[in-house]
Amino acid sequence: MIEMVNGYPCANCTDVSNAKRGLDPENPTRDPVKQEELDRKAGRVPEPAVTFGESLAERIRAGEAALPSSPGAAGLQPAARLLDVIV
């Protein structure tokens, strides 16, 4: 039986306990990677932090310009790539 506690759907007593403490039963550890997966599954995809306009956007769409990447960025999880500081 599914019951709602503090706006969260709860399937068992552990979910109810987490919801009473204000934690999302689907992600009680507040893991950003898991939260991103849950948001994508629910259709809540965040807007990109940076959008390119004018000629740069056209070059990126055409494949002429490559976005900078660091050698170790390929293996990182999505939430680990949210902040990229280049000096």
Side-chain angles (χ1 to χ4, degrees):
M1 177 172 86
I2 302 289
E3 62 179 285
M4 297 293 286
V5 177
N6 288 341
Y8 298 113
C10 302
N12 56 37
C13 60
T14 304
D15 290 351
V16 171
S17 174
N18 286 333
K20 284 182 179 179
R21 291 186 293 154
L23 299 174
D24 183 0
E26 290 185 4
N27 189 11
T29 60
R30 298 180 190 233
D31 180 21
V33 174
K34 184 172 182 178
Q35 188 61 48
E36 188 172 311
E37 290 173 6
L38 292 171
D39 289 344
R40 287 190 192 286
K41 193 183 329 177
R44 296 183 304 259
V45 181
E47 294 294 321
V50 176
T51 57
F52 297 104
E54 303 299 323
S55 62
L56 185 56
E58 292 171 11
R59 292 182 67 193
I60 291 173
R61 276 194 295 269
E64 297 171 11
L67 294 175
S69 64
S70 61
L76 296 177
Q77 295 294 329
R81 293 184 282 115
L82 292 178
L83 178 63
D84 187 18
V85 178
I86 299 175
V87 179

